[in-house]
Amino acid sequence: MHIRIEAESRRGLRIIGEIPNFPLCRIEGYNGIGKTNAIKLLRLCTGDQPFIGNDHSWRTFRNQLKSARVAVTGLHGAQEITWTIDPSLWPETAEPLGDLIGGIRINGQPARLRDVSPLLSVHHVMAADTPVSVLTERINTAQKHIQGWDSEVGRRRQEEIELLLGELQNKITDCTPSQLSRDLSITAEAEKLAKSLADQLKTARERIKLLDRAVEVSAQLTQVRGRGSEMDQKVQELARRLEDLDEQRRELDNQIKNASAQKHNNEKAEKEFENAQRHLVRQDKAFRTMRSHLQHLAAAVGVDPSEDALTAAKRETSQHLNNLLEQQPRINATPILVNLLNSLTHSLESAEEEGLGNTVLIDSGEKGSGWTVAALKEAFQHQAETLNEMSPSADAEQLAEKIEATRGRLGTIAQTETALRDLEAGQTALAKAEGRLLKATKSLPEQTARNLEDLMLNRTALDQETRTVQGDHARLSHTRELLGGGKTEDALAAELVQLCRKANVEVARLRGLREKEQAELEELTRREAQVSQQAALARRTSQGRLSRVASTVDFLSQDSEISWLRQAIPQIEILPELSPADQAEVLTDVAAVIDRARDSLASTYSSLRGMETALGRLGSRIRQPNGPTGTETDSDRAAKLWLADEVRQWFESEVVRAALFNGGRDVKLDPDSLQLSWTADDGQTNERPLAAFSSGQQAFAYTQAQVARLDRDENAASNRLIALDEFGSFIDAKNMSALASYLQARQVQAPNDQVLVILPLEVSPAIASSTGSTNERVNALRQRGYFAEAFQL
């Protein structure tokens, strides 16, 4: 390749203008002529930054260079690359310039720096470096690479990956798949227990009903004994009296009918009287039926059959019903509230066991006040105990029975009010019928009319007595029905024996056993209510978790943005085909894999940063071999092994081993002692400190190693300029000849590389050579201050 540089500078900055197209090129010239500055400028053009870590030198170079134009021709893969450089655009600190280098054209077309990198790279090798300084520089470079990558890419990439993995893990752990099997088991056990208690409760209630009936029959039997026969006799007497009165009324009706049947001239009046009499009989029958119905209803509710009494009873019963209904929500909600409080108390106890008892859980907003975990737990416990004492669960059933009975009483009162209104209407109709009959008698013969009036007065008196006796009979009959349920003493005694036999209890122990089993029923009812609530809660919990697990499975198995996760964990692909329990198990495994990946990510980046620190300590150790070492970490050991491998690669070349170790083999570096060891031809192991090699040996070894390292670069540019600088001061003639031989030999494998050997001026312009080449050199020195020619010895 051929390089031309046109630079405009100020205050003494000089840059040579040409590097000719010699594959192995030798440049000699006066000091300060700009040989090294040219290499630095070319490094800037190809994306390198030779001033990193030396901002002062960078600012000097930047400020003294006004402008420049660089052209490189004869490249493999391109005809020409040109740069038009404007240093005023460059930053103040030494950092890679990127496209700030200036305008770039490749084959005349606008281009960017990334287009240059595959085509051309520039490498600068300084012979003044010693093995120790070279190693230190290599360590510093590696450390800076780690730092730069970490700050520019690594840390951000770690955060992105960590965020992505964290979101995925949270997505899985939010549905807590590990709890699904436990939830399903708890739900199954809770439902099993709830069913068992429900069956026990059903059996207990049936038994309580049996005992209640036995106690009721026993009480009825006690009531009937001594009172039943007397009341039966009284009822029978009233019934006979009603029959007697009915007979007397029928007799009077016949007398009235016979009296009206006497012959007389006014047949029309007689006909009207007969019709009025029949109408009266119908109304009287209806009235007596309504009156009997009203008296039975009034007796059933225990209220006098009057409008005022019924209104007062209705108001009192309605108020009682409202009071019962107000209690119902509280009593029905008690099991739910108790269960909720117990659940919260259990959670708070778990927190207390973790040492969080004195932690403020709810801040009241006032200074120094708030609810701690322990205080809130005690409050919940106290409230649960209070609710249990105030309203046992069994009261819900008893309250429902009371409400039903009260509603039934209200219904009976309403029927009684209706019957009272019907009776009042019937009484009005009866009075009209009596008036009609009385009017009809006036049209009859005088004597007949007087006889009928007397008969009707007797009938009215008889009806009044009948009503009185009928009311007494209705009340006493209802009382008798309540007494013993309307059964006789013998019937009640037989039923009691049968009930006690069925309940397997003696009559004398009946009440005590009933009270005991009633208490057990209340406790069983409370337990059944609580367990039912717990089963419902467990069912809702497991169903909710099943839903969340199913949603997570759908997300993991279908979302297009996480196909990479399905490739990494193939189990995810078969998730939809598994049972919920198996899905939960796989999700738990996936969460664990992601958790390990997050740990590995953190460990990797931590190791990387640990390596950065270890490289810093290793550099200090090389600079100060006798300094304190401290405790060696895994990163320290890895850094030392890396250094040993770098040194080993230095001495891989047979040329280097022949020059420095007389053809020895197995060259190794002990990174702890910085001792080189190798095996000589006679099999003996030799050792020498790294710093003990001469400057020429060091420069030669370093040059060989650097060039060899470039040859191992698999991503090398198509064209490379390799500048070997200041070698005349450090490499003697023997090693220089070996270097020339080495470079010429490698040219076959790297035909597109241009190697530039920069040497200090060795020939004075006043000295002439017999070959005449000195004259060309003298002319070049006089014109440009340096000369360039093919490198050969």
Side-chain angles (χ1 to χ4, degrees):
M1 71 184 76
H2 186 270
I3 301 172
R4 287 189 179 277
I5 302 174
E6 299 174 3
E8 183 180 359
S9 59
R10 60 170 70 90
R11 291 195 296 273
L13 178 65
R14 302 183 68 181
I15 299 175
I16 63 174
E18 181 186 14
I19 300 176
N21 187 16
F22 295 122
L24 295 179
C25 183
R26 171 193 185 114
I27 289 182
E28 290 187 25
Y30 296 118
N31 291 332
I33 198 63
K35 303 183 294 295
T36 300
N37 284 336
I39 302 303
K40 291 179 179 178
L41 181 59
L42 290 171
R43 289 177 65 186
L44 289 171
C45 289
T46 54
D48 198 2
Q49 174 52 275
F51 295 96
I52 284 181
N54 194 345
D55 288 343
H56 175 72
S57 297
W58 163 250
R59 282 191 291 270
T60 300
F61 185 86
R62 172 186 178 276
N63 293 335
Q64 290 182 355
L65 181 64
K66 295 174 63 176
S67 64
R69 183 181 185 278
V70 178
V72 180
T73 58
L75 296 166
H76 176 72
Q79 296 176 0
E80 181 183 45
I81 304 176
T82 61
W83 290 262
T84 302
I85 298 170
D86 183 4
S88 65
L89 302 176
W90 295 353
E92 291 287 340
T93 57
E95 59 187 57
L97 299 179
D99 290 328
L100 293 178
I101 184 64
I104 303 175
R105 286 183 175 272
I106 299 178
N107 298 333
Q109 299 297 319
R112 302 184 65 178
L113 183 61
R114 64 169 176 259
D115 302 319
V116 174
S117 299
L119 293 172
L120 177 63
S121 62
V122 178
H123 307 276
H124 195 186
V125 180
M126 298 293 294
D129 291 322
T130 64
V132 171
S133 65
V134 169
L135 290 178
T136 303
E137 178 61 26
R138 291 300 308 279
I139 291 171
N140 290 340
T141 300
Q143 188 179 23
K144 288 177 181 178
H145 284 167
I146 294 175
Q147 288 175 339
W149 182 86
D150 188 36
S151 61
E152 296 175 11
V153 178
R155 195 171 299 275
R156 183 181 69 254
R157 184 59 177 157
Q158 180 188 10
E159 291 173 355
E160 291 173 352
I161 298 174
E162 171 64 25
L163 179 61
L164 177 60
L165 292 177
E167 289 176 349
L168 285 172
Q169 189 175 29
N170 290 338
K171 178 75 174 177
I172 297 173
T173 56
D174 281 350
C175 71
T176 51
S178 60
Q179 295 294 319
L180 180 60
S181 297
R182 176 177 174 272
D183 287 345
L184 292 175
S185 176
I186 290 175
T187 300
E189 289 297 324
E191 290 180 341
K192 180 179 178 181
L193 180 59
K195 184 179 184 305
S196 174
L197 289 177
D199 293 341
Q200 294 178 39
L201 184 60
K202 180 180 179 181
T203 302
R205 282 175 175 167
E206 291 175 353
R207 180 166 175 78
I208 283 294
K209 287 181 180 179
L210 178 64
L211 293 175
D212 283 345
R213 178 57 186 164
V215 170
E216 180 183 4
V217 170
S218 177
Q220 290 174 345
L221 182 60
T222 301
Q223 292 174 350
V224 168
R225 285 174 180 162
R227 292 187 60 193
S229 58
E230 178 184 345
M231 293 182 71
D232 289 340
Q233 183 179 356
K234 185 65 175 177
V235 169
Q236 292 173 3
E237 289 177 358
L238 290 173
R240 286 194 296 270
R241 178 59 180 159
L242 284 174
E243 291 177 0
D244 185 53
L245 291 173
D246 287 341
E247 181 63 29
Q248 293 180 37
R249 186 168 56 252
R250 285 192 295 273
E251 180 63 28
L252 284 173
D253 288 340
N254 288 331
Q255 291 179 13
I256 291 171
K257 181 178 181 181
N258 292 333
S260 65
Q262 295 179 1
K263 299 295 183 180
H264 52 78
N265 295 327
N266 195 344
E267 293 183 0
K268 182 180 179 180
E270 181 180 354
K271 186 66 175 177
E272 177 62 26
F273 179 82
E274 289 178 357
N275 290 337
Q277 184 185 24
R278 283 194 295 270
H279 179 66
L280 176 62
V281 170
R282 287 195 303 271
Q283 293 299 324
D284 179 65
K285 184 178 179 180
F287 178 75
R288 284 188 288 112
T289 300
M290 288 185 288
R291 183 176 60 198
S292 177
H293 180 59
L294 173 63
Q295 288 171 342
H296 276 90
L297 289 174
V301 294
V303 179
D304 185 61
S306 65
E307 184 176 353
D308 292 341
L310 288 172
T311 300
K314 183 177 181 180
R315 182 173 58 252
E316 179 184 354
T317 305
S318 296
Q319 182 62 41
H320 182 58
L321 178 61
N322 290 336
N323 292 337
L324 293 175
L325 291 174
E326 289 176 358
Q327 297 176 34
Q328 195 172 33
R330 177 174 57 82
I331 291 178
N332 288 341
T334 294
I336 301 175
L337 294 175
V338 170
N339 186 60
L340 176 60
L341 289 169
N342 289 336
S343 176
L344 293 172
T345 300
H346 177 71
S347 298
L348 292 170
E349 285 176 346
S350 299
E352 199 173 24
E353 291 174 358
E354 297 295 330
L356 301 175
N358 295 324
T359 302
V360 175
L361 190 61
I362 301 176
D363 190 352
S364 64
E366 300 178 3
K367 186 176 181 180
S369 62
W371 285 90
T372 64
V373 170
L376 202 58
K377 182 202 74 174
E378 293 176 359
F380 287 165
Q381 285 178 331
H382 176 72
Q383 184 65 14
E385 293 171 358
T386 302
L387 289 176
N388 273 326
E389 293 173 358
M390 288 177 55
S391 180
S393 302
D395 283 357
E397 183 178 357
Q398 298 172 4
L399 181 63
E401 294 175 355
K402 291 180 181 178
I403 290 174
E404 187 64 28
T406 305
R407 283 175 173 160
R409 177 176 170 79
L410 272 178
T412 304
I413 292 175
Q415 293 177 12
T416 306
E417 289 178 325
T418 301
L420 180 61
R421 288 191 294 271
D422 292 342
L423 183 65
E424 290 174 349
Q427 190 170 11
T428 301
L430 180 62
K432 289 180 179 180
E434 289 176 345
R436 176 183 173 185
L437 182 62
L438 182 61
K439 182 178 179 181
T441 60
K442 295 183 187 280
S443 300
L444 295 174
E446 182 179 355
Q447 183 61 41
T448 301
R450 282 198 300 271
N451 290 338
L452 287 172
E453 287 179 357
D454 292 339
L455 290 172
M456 289 179 64
L457 288 174
N458 292 335
R459 190 180 186 284
T460 301
L462 187 63
D463 284 344
Q464 181 64 38
E465 183 179 359
T466 299
R467 284 194 292 269
T468 302
V469 174
Q470 192 176 40
D472 292 342
H473 182 269
R475 285 189 295 272
L476 189 60
S477 296
H478 183 72
T479 302
R480 181 63 185 85
E481 289 174 0
L482 295 177
L483 183 67
K487 296 182 179 181
T488 64
E489 181 177 345
D490 291 341
L492 290 172
E495 183 179 3
L496 179 60
V497 171
Q498 183 181 5
L499 290 171
C500 288
R501 185 179 294 114
K502 187 175 181 180
N504 193 26
V505 60
E506 298 177 3
V507 175
R509 299 181 56 196
L510 179 62
R511 294 184 182 275
L513 181 63
R514 190 262 182 193
E515 291 178 359
K516 176 185 176 183
E517 295 196 10
Q518 179 64 36
E520 293 175 351
L521 174 63
E522 292 180 357
E523 177 61 27
L524 184 60
T525 303
R526 182 183 298 108
R527 284 187 59 208
E528 191 274 339
Q530 291 179 350
V531 170
S532 295
Q533 292 296 331
Q534 291 171 354
L537 178 61
R539 192 181 306 110
R540 288 194 298 272
T541 300
S542 59
Q543 289 175 348
R545 202 175 307 282
L546 281 170
S547 176
R548 292 194 294 275
V549 166
S551 175
T552 303
V553 167
D554 289 342
F555 169 75
L556 293 179
S557 59
Q558 298 179 13
D559 193 281
S560 60
E561 294 185 358
I562 59 169
S563 58
W564 57 269
L565 183 65
R566 293 190 286 273
Q567 293 176 359
I569 310 177
Q571 286 177 291
I572 296 176
E573 295 285 359
I574 63 171
L575 271 174
E577 305 170 7
L578 303 178
S579 67
D582 291 338
Q583 287 177 343
E585 185 175 350
V586 172
L587 288 179
T588 301
D589 293 341
V590 172
V593 171
I594 294 176
D595 189 56
R596 290 194 295 271
R598 294 177 69 183
D599 289 343
S600 178
L601 176 69
S603 176
T604 299
Y605 278 87
S606 177
S607 298
L608 180 68
R609 292 168 188 132
M611 182 60 71
E612 175 190 335
T613 303
L615 288 172
R617 287 197 293 265
L618 181 59
S620 299
R621 176 77 178 87
I622 292 176
R623 290 189 297 269
Q624 299 177 349
N626 298 323
T629 58
T631 303
E632 184 177 81
T633 65
D634 292 340
S635 297
D636 291 328
R637 190 61 192 165
K640 289 180 178 180
L641 293 175
W642 167 82
L643 178 63
D645 188 61
E646 286 290 304
V647 172
R648 179 189 60 78
Q649 294 179 28
W650 274 14
F651 303 121
E652 279 183 343
S653 169
E654 294 182 3
V655 176
V656 174
R657 292 199 301 272
L660 300 180
F661 304 104
N662 294 324
R665 62 184 183 278
D666 298 331
V667 182
K668 298 178 182 178
L669 172 70
D670 182 346
D672 294 321
S673 63
L674 299 183
Q675 287 279 113
L676 281 172
S677 64
W678 68 94
T679 303
D681 290 339
D682 58 2
Q684 296 295 320
T685 299
N686 297 325
E687 292 185 352
R688 182 187 298 181
L690 189 62
F693 288 88
S694 67
S695 297
Q697 290 175 317
Q698 293 171 3
F700 178 74
Y702 174 59
T703 301
Q704 294 280 344
Q706 289 293 82
V707 174
R709 183 176 64 85
L710 293 176
D711 290 340
R712 291 194 300 271
D713 187 0
E714 296 179 355
N715 298 314
S718 299
N719 305 272
R720 294 186 296 186
L721 175 65
I722 303 173
L724 309 181
D725 202 356
E726 299 185 4
F727 278 82
S729 302
F730 297 93
I731 300 181
D732 54 20
K734 175 184 176 183
N735 287 321
M736 186 66 75
S737 178
L739 176 62
S741 299
Y742 168 71
L743 294 175
Q744 289 172 353
R746 73 171 291 278
Q747 194 65 33
V748 178
Q749 284 75 33
N752 298 319
D753 284 0
Q754 181 170 354
V755 178
L756 181 63
V757 180
I758 301 175
L759 299 171
L761 185 60
E762 294 181 352
V763 179
S764 171
I767 302 175
S769 171
S770 60
T771 63
S773 62
T774 302
N775 292 329
E776 295 178 5
R777 294 177 178 178
V778 169
N779 291 333
L781 286 171
R782 287 174 178 174
Q783 293 175 9
R784 300 186 298 186
Y786 72 97
F787 65 86
E789 61 186 14
F791 177 52
Q792 56 186 354
L793 291 175

